[in-house]
Amino acid sequence: MIRRFGMMSTWAAVIAIAAVAVVPVAGQGSAPKPAARATSKNYTPARTPWGDPDLQGIYTNKDENGIPIEKPSQFEGKKLEDVDDSEFAEIVRARNEASVARAPGIGGAETGAGPVHWYEHYDAKNSRPWLVVDPADGRIPPTTPEAQKRAADRVAARAGRGPADSYEDRSLYDQCITRGLPGSMMPAIYGNSYQIHQGQGFVAIRYEMIHETRMIPLDGHAHVGPSITSYMGDARGHFEGNTLVVETTNFRDPNRGASGKLRLVEHFKPVAPNQVEWSVTYDDASTWARPWTFAMNLTKDPTQSPFEYACHEGNYGLRNILSAARAEERTAK
């Protein structure tokens, strides 16, 4: 099966997708049972022949779809551990019911992106009520005056432009280039699989959507010079006990309005034979008042092997977006 779906926008759309509740496939009578939130913090994974913790395998984050990044207002004053199982089950049920009308092909909407059974985000069994784990209030810290000015400058630079005057007005995701980082690890409506490979001195992560492969050296070398940037940044990793720690810098076009000083720190912590807790810390003093961290679960599932992602070969999303914009302009004259 070749994935040839319409494109979405980058990190903003990914966050929107993650924040939108999941829905059951038509015909399912009840809401999904949330995944168990209690995992063993003392789990010891197997080792590779050269002695590193073995993280290899095929993973999916489809069950994390529908979890909002920040703490919903209904949980004001509560910590993650204060939300009991019945309350948690109720919010997942409510998310499902609220999303039925928005589901392609279920609530009357038709996107042309294929039948409902192609989508992977239905029946998601969430692991937590929200994703931000630090600060303790579950909210992203306020942005700095410098970041606010950058945002205002971007808006001013686009004044008078439409959303599709040029391919440059569309996201890198729309252009089939990248979902960036951590966007490539975030749940979406499809393409949620990735595979972790290990060798002596490196870890590689192969993503289904956009089909990028991210190389993470473990050799202790310093990051490349600041003049060398890339969309996925420059990654360096090491193990702390059983946890893989990855620091990434040197981003080109960093997400969420971050500056070129952005430093992302990921932790891949095995917590069960088929589960890894993945957390990401944003550290950019030029953008946020303090670092902040979100976390989710990655589930090992050998049945979710990444498919070919034939974005450039089979997707006409960008071409159609631009041609539709030109057609609207001609009609307006």
Side-chain angles (χ1 to χ4, degrees):
M1 174 181 177
I2 297 177
R3 302 296 170 94
R4 295 182 175 180
F5 296 178
M7 301 305 295
M8 299 167 283
S9 44
T10 51
W11 175 250
V14 173
I15 293 301
I17 292 167
V20 169
V22 294
V23 294
V25 175
Q28 290 179 337
S30 60
K33 180 180 178 182
R37 289 187 286 148
T39 54
S40 171
K41 300 301 181 183
N42 298 317
Y43 171 70
T44 300
R47 297 275 167 170
T48 63
W50 53 91
D52 287 341
D54 193 342
L55 301 177
Q56 298 175 99
I58 296 166
Y59 292 83
T60 179
N61 57 21
K62 66 183 181 65
D63 278 328
E64 303 301 83
N65 210 300
I67 305 176
I69 292 289
E70 297 184 285
K71 177 166 62 177
S73 58
Q74 71 191 89
F75 295 118
E76 196 65 43
K78 287 191 174 186
K79 299 179 181 178
L80 280 168
E81 58 268 26
D82 295 333
V83 181
D84 62 37
D85 289 344
S86 61
E87 192 175 14
F88 180 54
E90 174 60 24
I91 190 176
V92 174
R93 184 194 65 78
R95 289 169 183 168
N96 291 333
E97 290 186 353
S99 297
V100 169
R102 295 192 295 268
I106 293 180
E110 180 52 58
T111 67
V116 170
H117 66 265
W118 280 7
Y119 292 82
E120 299 170 352
H121 66 310
Y122 299 115
D123 195 32
K125 299 172 177 62
N126 295 171
S127 67
R128 61 199 72 212
W130 62 87
L131 299 183
V132 172
V133 295
D134 182 45
D137 65 2
R139 302 296 170 84
I140 298 172
T143 54
T144 63
E146 178 184 339
Q148 293 167 23
K149 183 179 184 303
R150 287 199 308 268
D153 290 344
R154 285 194 296 271
V155 172
R158 286 193 52 78
R161 292 187 65 84
D165 284 3
S166 162
Y167 71 91
E168 294 180 328
D169 295 313
R170 307 306 302 181
S171 70
L172 295 173
Y173 189 9
D174 286 343
Q175 297 177 55
C176 296
I177 294 173
T178 185
R179 290 174 71 199
L181 190 70
S184 292
M185 294 287 292
M186 300 298 290
I189 59 175
Y190 70 98
N192 293 306
S193 295
Y194 30 86
Q195 187 166 5
I196 297 178
H197 305 267
Q198 288 178 253
Q200 287 186 272
F202 76 91
V203 173
I205 305 177
R206 181 168 62 97
Y207 300 100
E208 178 173 12
M209 191 173 282
I210 306 295
H211 220 75
E212 296 173 281
T213 298
R214 183 180 172 208
M215 299 298 297
I216 304 169
L218 307 177
D219 56 13
H221 285 182
H223 288 284
V224 297
S227 63
I228 302 175
T229 61
S230 67
Y231 294 128
M232 295 293 277
D234 183 54
R236 295 290 185 270
H238 66 276
F239 281 97
E240 293 181 2
N242 295 322
T243 300
L244 172 64
V245 181
V246 182
E247 177 186 277
T248 307
T249 61
N250 296 61
F251 287 101
R252 175 182 301 178
D253 192 26
N255 61 67
R256 292 196 67 86
S259 76
K261 300 175 183 177
L262 174 63
R263 173 176 168 266
L264 284 183
V265 181
E266 300 164 271
H267 287 75
F268 295 78
K269 180 178 182 179
V271 294
N274 67 335
Q275 201 165 84
V276 167
E277 183 180 71
W278 172 65
S279 65
V280 182
T281 298
Y282 278 81
D283 186 358
D284 182 0
S286 296
T287 303
W288 293 282
R290 55 156 292 181
W292 58 280
T293 303
F294 73 86
M296 66 173 62
N297 287 353
L298 313 179
T299 301
K300 185 179 289 188
D301 185 348
T303 70
Q304 296 291 319
S305 182
F307 281 102
E308 176 190 2
Y309 195 81
C311 192
H312 288 292
E313 295 87 347
N315 187 283
Y316 287 83
L318 184 61
R319 171 181 170 179
N320 292 342
I321 287 170
L322 297 178
S323 63
R326 302 293 80 75
E328 288 180 350
E329 292 165 356
R330 289 192 295 271
T331 301
K333 292 180 180 179

